[in-house]
Amino acid sequence: MKHFFFLCAVIAGVITGNAQTVVDNFNVGPYIVDYNGRGDVKYRLRDNIDLYEFFELKMDTTIISATKEEPLKHAVQISGDVGANRYASKEFGLDGVWKQNIGNNLYFNGGLSLAIGYSNFGETAPKRNMFEVGIPLQIELGKLNHQCASLYGLFGITPTVYTTMSATKWDAAAGKRVDDVKKTGFLVAPSLEFGGNIPVGPTIMRIGVYGTYKINCTTSDYDVYKSVAGRMFLGAKIGIVL
């Protein structure tokens, strides 16, 4: 009989002990939180709460979590371009540059460029094909990240070595085309470029337009850019940033 009374006393003590456990209840926004201590938390929606009314939402409202933009510290850009001028000269180029972040949305670009220029003004006019190797040096302003599309603008100058691949002119006396003087030299080409960056997976696609002016620095009585190839070019550029 003693064992029976002892067992009843133990059970009563356990029940009484549980009943004395303090549970904190408080409201957090539209929820009721039961807090029994660290790691022991329960919560439920308060009675008669409509989340649309509580947060002043419409039924078709879409909630999108903001994505933090992380600008690239450095990157490699590969691009191609095509341009022309009012004299009907055309140029086709390919360049690769290293992009280094130097400030808030500010980048310095440096690399290597290759270009071929074609000048053909008609059967009796001079024809000249040029090959150029340059070192583009640019300052770029714009957001560059994988989170959102953005606009950019840059100013640059490209020291360039050029050479003539082929050159002919019309010889009226002979009634045919003959070889013209081939020129090799040095020029600098300041340029402006504007466009947009579009994130595509792990890369960024870049599309823009540019204008450049070629200043022949080689002393000569015959400036092939001023007389034949043209100095001012406008064009389009497309590339990817890796």
Side-chain angles (χ1 to χ4, degrees):
M1 197 68 177
K2 292 181 180 180
H3 293 292
F4 175 75
F5 285 117
F6 177 75
L7 180 61
C8 290
V10 170
I11 295 174
V14 171
I15 296 175
T16 304
N18 289 336
Q20 293 176 350
T21 301
V22 177
V23 178
D24 289 330
N25 302 101
F26 48 87
N27 296 336
V28 178
Y31 299 96
I32 297 176
V33 176
D34 298 333
Y35 184 70
N36 301 326
R38 180 175 297 180
D40 189 2
V41 179
K42 298 179 182 179
Y43 59 91
R44 61 189 182 278
L45 191 65
R46 288 158 48 191
D47 294 337
N48 301 319
I49 289 291
D50 185 296
L51 290 180
Y52 286 99
E53 293 180 358
F54 188 89
F55 290 110
E56 298 181 353
L57 301 176
K58 296 181 179 179
M59 293 297 291
D60 59 350
T61 299
T62 301
I63 300 176
I64 301 176
S65 299
T67 302
K68 183 180 179 180
E69 297 180 6
E70 297 181 2
L72 297 182
K73 298 299 182 182
H74 48 74
V76 174
Q77 175 186 316
I78 301 173
S79 56
D81 61 79
V82 56
N85 61 28
R86 63 191 183 97
Y87 299 110
S89 294
K90 299 177 179 62
E91 67 173 7
F92 303 90
L94 180 67
D95 64 69
V97 297
W98 173 264
K99 311 174 79 67
Q100 179 64 49
N101 181 257
I102 58 175
N104 186 23
N105 298 327
L106 193 65
Y107 291 84
F108 173 77
N109 306 335
L112 182 69
S113 66
L114 305 174
I116 296 176
Y118 296 95
S119 302
N120 186 349
F121 306 105
E123 185 59 31
T124 60
K127 296 182 180 181
R128 185 171 292 269
N129 298 332
M130 309 296 295
F131 178 68
E132 302 171 356
V133 179
I135 301 176
L137 305 172
Q138 305 164 341
I139 295 294
E140 177 181 333
L141 178 63
K143 293 182 179 180
L144 193 62
N145 57 62
H146 291 288
Q147 286 74 45
C148 65
S150 62
L151 300 177
Y152 75 90
L154 65 81
F155 169 77
I157 187 167
T158 306
T160 302
V161 175
Y162 68 85
T163 187
T164 304
M165 295 189 297
S166 65
T168 62
K169 62 181 179 180
W170 180 258
D171 188 334
K176 63 178 182 179
R177 303 195 68 84
V178 297
D179 290 339
D180 199 358
V181 178
K182 292 186 177 181
K183 294 287 185 178
T184 298
F186 176 78
L187 63 83
V188 292
S191 61
L192 288 173
E193 183 181 334
F194 302 94
N197 299 311
I198 306 172
V200 181
T203 64
I204 299 175
M205 179 174 289
R206 164 166 291 203
I207 302 175
V209 294
Y210 73 93
T212 186
Y213 188 80
K214 300 181 180 182
I215 304 172
N216 194 349
C217 301
T218 302
T219 302
S220 173
D221 56 352
Y222 182 55
D223 185 342
V224 295
Y225 285 90
K226 180 179 179 180
S227 303
V228 182
R231 292 182 290 186
M232 180 68 185
F233 284 83
L234 299 176
K237 177 175 285 190
I238 184 170
I240 57 173
V241 178
L242 305 174

